[in-house]
Amino acid sequence: MPKLNMVQAINLALRQEMAKDKNVLVLGEDVGKDGGVFRVTDGLLDQFGSARVIDTPLAESAIMGAAFGMSILGLRPVAEIQFSGFAFLILPQLEGNASRIRARSQGTMSAPMVVRMPYGGGVRALEHHSESREATFAHLPGVKVVIPSGPRNARALLVAAIRDPDPVVFMEPKHIYRAFKQEVPEAEEVGIIGQAEVVKPGEDITIISWGAMLRPTLKAVEALEAKRAARVEVIDLLTMSPIDARTITESVKKTGRCVIVQEAPKTLSMSSEIIALINDKALLYLEAPVKRVTHFDVITPYFGRENLFLPNPDQIEAALIETLDF
Amino acid sequence: MPLKEIASFNVKHLSILDENGQWDEDLDPKLSDDDLIKLYRAMVKGREADQRMLKMQRQGRLGTFPPTTGHEAVICGATFATRDDDWLVGSYREMPGRLMRGEPLERTLHYYNGREEGSALSAAHHLMPIQVILGSQLPHAVGMAYAMRYKGEQGRAVVCFFGDGASSQGDFHEALNFASVWQAPVVFVCQNNQWAISVPLACQTRSQTIAQKAIAYQIPCIQVDGNDALATYKATKDALDRARSGGGPTLIEMVTYRLIMHTTADDPSKYRSADEEKTWWDKDPIPRLFHHLKKIGVWDDQKQALLEEDVKNEVNQAVKNFESEVDFKPDAPFDHVFETPSAALEEQRALFLSNLRDSNNA
Ligand SMILES: Cc1ncc(C[n+]2csc(CCOP(=O)(O)OP(=O)(O)O)c2C)c(N)n1
Ligand SMILES: [Mg+2]
């Protein structure tokens, strides 16, 4: 099996889906000749031509709105927003139209489209290039939100997103675009949107994370298990919305303890939602309050301070210990 | 009924000093020798600072930044036409103009070294902080211009810079329309460097000029040779005079070229030819003005040597100042969310600081 990094794996998904279905096309800023500023769409222009790999004028709202229009007539556009920091410009179209066309048309129309965007910190980028705003999108009914954590699930989930009958926001943790490689089969693999993955089973405590936070989480778990007898169950959330309540609930019922790790600010975030869900479905199984390790409710600091603000393995390990010893 | 022509338009192009040294004395803005030298000096200093920043970036002493090499005539010519109490509302490619306004180079260096402190002095110089969200600054400029007039500050105006790519944003069109309806004292300066990262102007717009987009909004417009500092100065000065006297907004398209990469993270060889770059190096705005100043007798090689020495020293000193300022409050981001941090935020600050102590002790 070839070993690919996340950029190559996403490129593979796009290439294969475009080869398979001529309704799939890619549009965005610098996605053609440049192959995207992160090279995610590299080579697609040469292979599929400029009618299917569209370097658009610079206007996110029109990229989103036009992709929506294409999807109404049966195309399957994959729009790229160059950085998630500029994705606020798609909200009028996403909230106002794509999310609700199924409802507005009473099921007679739909928007099978994908919006890809790199997001998150850790790459010493400029202002507006490091935010983690998955909750903003997950808050919109009618929009699915997916965040892969490695090359293999990125490929499989993007294929699923492209084939999904509803709009999917696909957020790519750019911190791990090239951080590591995984074996990614050439043969088709389709992920399941709405399904979290138990990355590592355990009995004593559940830890939930996603995107680039999975790696520091696993590091913390490894460090903890080297010191203590506790066995930690690690859940990779993968889909923010619709959330996989079952996997979370089953795990927390089993372990009775839970820690959530996210790169996003704390207030009204995915971790808030997960705690509410545990409250609804598994409160009486808890033996300790659910603990979270998050960014803070501040304007995302420029890169000079970013590492001070991102959750790190030590903080995660401390949260696990505190919750285990409660 | 026969079709009647009910409106017709034209777009003018201004060039005063061209790449072959041809000079139109009638159009010349007739700056004093002192002013010409000031303007030239600002361009030379901007280039020196930019080249120095490139080296620092390559050495890991600065983060990613967007160079300004090639843009000096646009930025310095336009800025030179402003008064210190006019607001400049830019994007991220105006470093030499910021220096002209007196914002120390250290601030820009801090900004591109990932420090919010880099923007701490901008308001004092009537500069908005560096803007990354393309096009979003145009409506701000209109609002600021409205506010000046509303507050009775007659004669003040706003100059707003943006790129050719940004002219595709809804914000561009919405701002022009507002400015026109309000007759706001604002001058929009499009730095048309013909590329938006890898996207050439021809893919950005089918319009023959960017200037003409103003016509739809009943705004006066002009296209200018953006490598001709006399022309960029003159066009901006004329537009500012109009704005100051209640004549409303202007759109100036300044045609220039980004001679090097979009940002230090970009590789232009992926999308444009070295030949194309070469033809634009031949139009470099700095040698153009240098030769002109020599020709009219206000400049010579000895003065040039002194100037180069001077700006090098100034840039060196700024880099030294920048590198000696290392004491940054780690929890500063909590200070500036609201005027008064909320109780919840203070609780988070306490956690942040205790995490920091733990990791320092570990
Ligand atoms: C709203 C928004 N979308 C996308 C980007 C990413 N981006 C940064 S610069 C750039 C190209 C800008 O081109 P132009 O407006 O011509 O300005 P130039 O960089 O050429 O000076 C792009 C797409 C951004 N900063 N803001
Ligand atoms: Mg440009």
Side-chain angles (χ1 to χ4, degrees), chain B residues 139-171:
Chain B
H140 310 165
V142 178
M144 292 167 81
Y146 186 97
M148 285 175 174
R149 189 178 57 198
Y150 179 81
K151 298 199 302 183
E153 296 164 357
Q154 297 303 341
R156 280 181 89 184
V158 180
V159 173
C160 177
F161 293 97
F162 60 99
D164 46 303
S167 76
S168 295
Q169 288 282 13
D171 273 348

Side-chain angles (χ1 to χ4, degrees), chain A residues 235-288:
Chain A
I235 296 178
D236 180 0
L237 193 58
L238 292 170
T239 302
M240 308 297 108
S241 178
I243 200 164
D244 181 355
R246 213 177 98 195
T247 298
I248 294 170
T249 311
E250 275 174 8
S251 179
V252 173
K253 279 185 179 170
K254 177 174 69 178
T255 62
R257 298 173 198 272
C258 182
V259 170
I260 307 162
V261 182
Q262 71 181 26
E263 196 179 321
K266 186 174 180 185
T267 296
L268 284 174
S269 61
M270 286 310 302
S271 65
S272 319
E273 181 57 30
I274 293 167
I275 292 171
L277 187 138
I278 293 169
N279 179 66
D280 283 349
K281 311 234 183 211
L283 181 68
L284 298 180
Y285 293 80
L286 285 181
E287 290 169 53

Side-chain angles (χ1 to χ4, degrees), chain A residues 30 42 58 297 302 305, chain B residues 116-117 169 198 204 270 348:
Chain A
D30 304 287
D42 214 15
L58 207 163
D297 293 339
Y302 299 176
R305 289 183 179 85
Chain B
E116 287 80 350
E117 285 80 354
Q169 288 282 13
S198 73
Q204 200 65 246
K270 185 98 178 149
Q348 291 191 17

Side-chain angles (χ1 to χ4, degrees), chain A residues 29-30 37 58-60 81-83 85-86 89 127-129, chain B residues 66-67 71 91-94 131-136 162-167 169 191-199 204 258 262-263:
Chain A
E29 295 158 7
D30 304 287
V37 295
L58 207 163
E60 286 75 12
I81 300 301
Q82 201 163 84
F83 288 91
F86 314 128
L89 293 161
E127 189 179 9
H128 301 296
H129 291 67
Chain B
H71 281 245
S91 61
Y92 44 74
R93 218 181 283 287
E94 293 86 20
Q131 176 60 259
V132 172
I133 309 275
L134 292 162
S136 63
F162 60 99
D164 46 303
S167 76
Q169 288 282 13
Q191 300 208 53
N192 175 8
N193 61 13
Q194 306 175 66
W195 289 91
I197 310 185
S198 73
V199 179
Q204 200 65 246
R258 156 165 71 70
H262 167 73
T263 67

